[in-house]
Amino acid sequence: MHTPARTTAVSANAAIPTHCPYCALQCGMRLTPNASADSVEVTGRADFPVNRGALCGKGQSAAAVLSSRVRLTGPLVRDPATGELAPATWEEALDAIAEGISRTRTAHGPDACGVFGGGGLTNEKAYALGKFARIVLGTSQIDYNGRFCMSSAAAAGTKAFGLDRGLPFPLEDIPRTGCVILVGSNLAETMPPALRYLTELRANGGKLIVIDPRRTRTAQQADLHLAPRPGTDLALALGMLHLVVAQGRVDEAYVRDRTRGWEEARSAAMAHWPEYVERVTGVPLPQLRDAVRMFTDAEHAMVLTARGPEQQSKGTDTVGAWINLALATGRPGTPLSGYGCLTGQGNGQGGREHGQKADQLPGCRKLTDPAARAHVAEVWGVDPESLPGPGRSAYELLDALGGDVRALLLMASNPVVSAPRAAHVEERLRSLDFLAVADVVLSETAELADVVLPVTQWAEETGTLTNLEGRVLLRRRALDPPPGVRSDLEVLQELTARLSPDLEKGFPVDPEEVFEELRRASAGGPADYSGISYERLAEEDGVFWPAPASGVPGTPRLFLDRFATEDGRARFVPVAHRAAAEEPDAEYPVYLTTGRVVAQYQSGAQTRRVEELNKAAPGPFVQLHPRLAARLGVVEGDAVAVVSRRGRAVAPARVCGDIRPDTVFMPFHWPGRGRANSLTNPALDPTSRMPEFKVCAVRLERIPG
């Protein structure tokens, strides 16, 4: 029986304080519904400390996707006679999903059923999805697209500090430090309201060093821009650490008192002579020396990494090398200094903390830890032995579709556009015995499904998210959803009622009730939310985890007294440079790197449905240097084919001097023949299982006419 979620009356023309549905800044905004005009006004919240009233174009236009003209408003089931998706009732759609999953489990076992989640799901939905996979389906095969976001930084941070939280300090500390090294991030386009922190840093006399193969809008703000070859950030970090040692700039007292493993890390770095690093990276040695001087001369300094160094087949080691540089100079765990990762997706942090990740249980607990299994199993009311072990990582799960994994439930993700080697992933999705998708729009992936469920959006449901600072936020419901739309929590309850009726009560549809259980499940874990409640979140501008007790402040700044390791000391991890999984050669002589543009978001499933955003960024392009363009006979606007060992993409040329001559760039927001991820390499980091999105070898072909 369908049980509607508990709702709060929404008054027309009442401004509701809430948060943006897009990136991990989770900017504060107010929504004012206008019942008479059937519209919603979006304004920034000046009282929210992260964005202080600023919104980018995506945030300003976020309400456009709420329109019934662009979204799903009723279930769809594929008609076996025509092969087309056709309208169906909710009962028909849910029955079809339960039948498809049951048929697969009976024939092939529970691990033949997979679950793939999304970094945009609220903490409550991420928690419920992980619980559903493990105790209703009994499958180990669950992961989420957040694996493509900051898993390498999570792995490196856990190794070094014993804890995975994107930023161990609030954004407000950035303008007050003395120097920031920003590695592989283009904040001006990916998180525009955050650029003010770097602008204020420089206005306060601080220095900004940006490391990126392109002279992006962010790099144009820098005091020093280093443009290494794609895939050589690891060598660059090691070369800088070599110079720190050679010039006597190590903070010896800090290293002695607060760390372990320095000698091994030091020896590894000293094998990377600056001249060798210059040859490998293409960064001139004088620039390398300038960067070291600026960073170490500052009393306070930070290293911030993002997708550039992470989305590599050696991403964990690359981030680890930057952490080693920060540790050697005494930065982490000291005021106005440290290392941090700029998480990208809206709830990429909370999404993995509470159970979507293949190897984690709620509270960032390890799935292989007997004590963690016992604690969570007790909260769930099941036998710890019944919990499956770790499953495949995101790309490995997608690669297994149609083989070991025969049915898939997918929520809030669009891997047909966002996954590496995307044409292969699309083929794997098509080969499934059964595919069900829950989403707000008919994405390219949903178009392949046997059943599509229309679910509520950000403004139509209450829930919590955890932003890039580790700040847990309450996003409030401001609108009633259309009559034919239900929440993901309702979907999971209804499927549980069909598949395991005795467990139905364990899947409430009220998000606050789910959060109360999440608090208990996370208690005592690394990501402890037990001291956070909806009531508290409604009164505060978010609570920083860990927050293990009610009435006690959260933890905006980690590691000031000790690190989260057994002995309280940070760990150096010795690393050495190695080449990317695929380097240019005679057949594929150019590097390809990928990224985002300001007017689109992730796979573009939602932003490509907003008219003003499409006017600003109507389609894909290939950015290339004038010297490379001249060699190919290409001018601005010419159609260019970019070809890798995995596929081909075609887009107009954008010729400018803001990129290395040996490198081309493509944004990855579009499907079809301009799909950048048709080209990218799924080579995986051995620790984080992050694919190598940021570097592969390609050739370019000018298309006549």
Side-chain angles (χ1 to χ4, degrees):
M1 178 180 294
H2 170 53
T3 305
R6 189 180 75 188
T7 59
T8 302
V10 178
S11 301
N13 303 319
I16 308 297
T18 188
H19 295 273
C20 180
Y22 290 116
C23 80
L25 284 180
Q26 283 301 293
C27 291
M29 58 169 56
R30 283 188 174 83
L31 299 184
T32 307
N34 187 329
S36 60
D38 191 25
S39 64
V40 183
E41 181 185 4
V42 178
T43 54
R45 281 173 52 197
D47 61 335
F48 185 62
V50 173
N51 60 310
R52 290 179 263 165
L55 294 173
C56 72
K58 294 187 291 290
Q60 291 169 350
S61 62
V65 187
L66 298 168
S67 169
S68 297
R69 293 189 298 274
V70 299
R71 68 180 298 176
L72 292 164
T73 56
L76 302 171
V77 175
R78 195 166 298 280
D79 186 331
T82 66
E84 301 294 324
L85 287 169
T89 68
W90 268 95
E91 296 304 307
E92 290 170 338
L94 291 164
D95 287 347
I97 296 174
E99 181 185 346
I101 290 173
S102 296
R103 186 172 59 245
T104 302
R105 284 200 303 177
T106 300
H108 305 287
D111 271 0
C113 299
V115 175
F116 198 87
L121 294 177
T122 62
N123 289 320
E124 293 81 0
K125 293 192 285 187
Y127 172 82
L129 186 61
K131 180 181 178 181
F132 175 84
R134 294 185 171 100
I135 73 169
V136 177
L137 301 184
T139 183
S140 65
Q141 301 302 303
I142 174 173
D143 211 81
Y144 83 129
N145 62 16
R147 176 79 66 170
F148 301 155
C149 180
M150 63 165 288
S151 57
S152 293
T158 300
K159 284 184 178 183
F161 309 128
L163 190 69
D164 157 30
R165 195 178 94 182
L167 289 181
F169 43 76
L171 286 163
E172 66 186 40
D173 285 0
I174 292 175
R176 300 189 291 153
T177 194
C179 179
V180 169
I181 299 179
L182 185 64
V183 190
S185 173
N186 182 14
L187 281 179
E189 300 212 42
T190 59
M191 298 179 175
L195 188 65
R196 67 166 56 186
Y197 292 101
L198 301 179
T199 303
E200 291 171 8
L201 165 75
R202 298 189 68 215
N204 292 339
K207 301 295 184 183
L208 174 61
I209 302 168
V210 172
I211 297 169
D212 197 301
R214 301 190 300 141
R215 190 170 180 268
T216 63
R217 288 173 55 194
T218 306
Q220 291 170 14
Q221 307 295 316
D223 297 281
L224 179 62
H225 171 216
L226 309 183
R229 292 186 181 92
T232 64
D233 311 88
L234 175 52
L236 188 66
L238 289 165
M240 290 182 66
L241 183 52
H242 181 116
L243 287 172
V244 165
V245 175
Q247 296 175 6
R249 295 174 180 264
V250 175
D251 188 333
E252 300 287 356
Y254 175 96
V255 169
R256 180 188 67 244
D257 296 339
R258 299 206 61 187
T259 72
R260 289 197 185 281
W262 167 235
E263 288 305 321
E264 294 84 355
R266 176 187 176 280
S267 296
M270 295 312 287
H272 296 75
W273 290 89
E275 292 80 8
Y276 163 77
V277 171
E278 179 182 49
R279 188 166 65 253
V280 168
T281 65
V283 175
L285 184 52
Q287 288 189 1
L288 204 63
R289 290 196 175 103
D290 285 345
V292 169
R293 175 184 52 78
M294 291 166 64
F295 184 66
T296 55
D297 281 355
E299 180 181 359
H300 307 292
M302 298 175 179
V303 177
L304 303 177
T305 65
R307 305 300 80 75
E310 289 182 63
Q311 289 180 330
Q312 300 184 29
S313 59
K314 53 183 183 295
T316 301
D317 284 357
T318 302
V319 174
W322 290 106
I323 291 175
N324 286 348
L325 176 67
L327 288 171
T329 52
R331 308 305 189 178
T334 59
L336 303 181
S337 296
Y339 161 79
C341 167
L342 299 167
T343 308
Q345 292 194 76
N347 198 32
Q349 180 77 49
R352 70 177 177 281
E353 289 170 2
H354 299 299
Q356 286 193 96
K357 204 174 175 190
D359 55 351
Q360 285 187 183
L361 287 169
C364 247
R365 287 182 159 92
K366 292 182 180 178
L367 188 52
T368 53
D369 178 3
R373 293 169 67 87
H375 173 85
V376 174
E378 182 179 5
V379 174
W380 289 351
V382 299
D383 183 346
E385 295 300 318
S386 70
L387 297 179
R392 293 177 172 92
S393 70
Y395 179 77
E396 292 168 302
L397 174 55
L398 295 171
D399 189 43
L401 300 181
D404 292 342
V405 180
R406 311 296 292 266
L408 184 69
L409 173 63
L410 185 146
M411 286 186 165
S413 186
N414 188 20
V416 165
V417 178
S418 63
R421 198 185 173 197
H424 172 72
V425 169
E426 181 177 346
E427 177 189 324
R428 293 293 83 215
L429 285 159
R430 291 181 183 277
S431 73
L432 282 165
D433 294 344
F434 184 79
L435 172 62
V437 173
D439 210 333
V440 300
V441 296
L442 190 65
S443 70
E444 287 72 23
T445 303
E447 289 175 354
L448 307 181
D450 297 286
V451 179
V452 182
L453 300 179
V455 290
T456 49
Q457 296 190 52
W458 58 287
E460 300 161 350
E461 58 187 12
T462 294
T464 63
L465 301 100
T466 307
N467 82 345
L468 76 171
E469 307 166 295
R471 188 193 301 252
V472 184
L473 303 164
L474 183 64
R475 195 166 68 189
R476 295 168 176 86
R477 178 174 171 271
L479 303 168
D480 294 322
V485 172
R486 299 183 185 177
S487 77
D488 296 282
L489 294 178
E490 293 175 83
V491 168
L492 294 176
Q493 185 195 64
E494 291 283 349
L495 291 178
T496 301
R498 287 162 169 78
L499 296 166
S500 298
D502 56 320
L503 295 175
E504 182 182 357
K505 290 183 179 179
F507 288 85
V509 299
D510 178 5
E512 186 171 0
E513 190 175 343
V514 177
F515 189 78
E516 287 300 305
E517 183 179 301
L518 182 158
R519 293 174 65 187
R520 299 197 305 274
S522 72
D528 191 334
Y529 283 32
S530 60
I532 305 174
S533 66
Y534 270 35
E535 182 180 5
R536 183 175 179 182
L537 291 174
E539 295 172 352
E540 303 180 34
D541 284 324
V543 178
F544 292 87
W545 71 260
S550 300
V552 176
T555 316
R557 295 171 181 85
L558 297 171
F559 315 137
L560 295 180
D561 299 317
R562 66 190 313 273
F563 293 96
T565 56
E566 289 184 3
D567 60 5
R569 291 171 174 262
R571 303 288 194 264
F572 282 96
V573 178
V575 294
H577 175 68
R578 59 186 185 276
E582 184 177 82
E583 292 283 340
D585 56 19
E587 188 176 2
Y588 300 95
V590 178
Y591 290 102
L592 168 71
T593 192
T594 64
R596 291 179 275 173
V597 297
V598 67
Q600 301 288 353
Y601 182 70
Q602 303 298 76
S603 75
Q606 295 182 51
T607 52
R608 284 187 277 111
R609 288 167 166 79
V610 179
E611 182 179 359
E612 51 262 55
L613 297 179
N614 283 331
K615 286 180 180 178
F621 59 86
V622 181
Q623 183 186 32
L624 68 166
H625 192 276
R627 293 212 299 268
L628 178 58
R631 288 206 305 272
L632 296 168
V634 168
V635 298
E636 181 79 14
D638 278 355
V640 175
V642 184
V643 184
S644 78
R645 289 177 173 85
R646 290 152 297 281
R648 174 186 178 94
V650 178
R654 185 171 294 182
V655 182
C656 69
D658 292 336
I659 189 169
R660 292 179 55 93
D662 58 2
T663 302
V664 296
F665 167 83
M666 289 189 73
F668 58 76
H669 310 290
W670 288 273
R673 72 175 196 159
R675 181 173 59 184
N677 277 320
S678 296
L679 310 167
T680 48
N681 192 351
L684 301 180
D685 179 283
T687 302
S688 69
R689 316 309 288 169
M690 169 79 86
E692 193 154 54
F693 287 100
K694 280 294 183 272
V695 52
C696 69
V698 298
R699 69 170 181 266
L700 275 66
E701 301 170 355
R702 180 180 177 275
I703 298 178

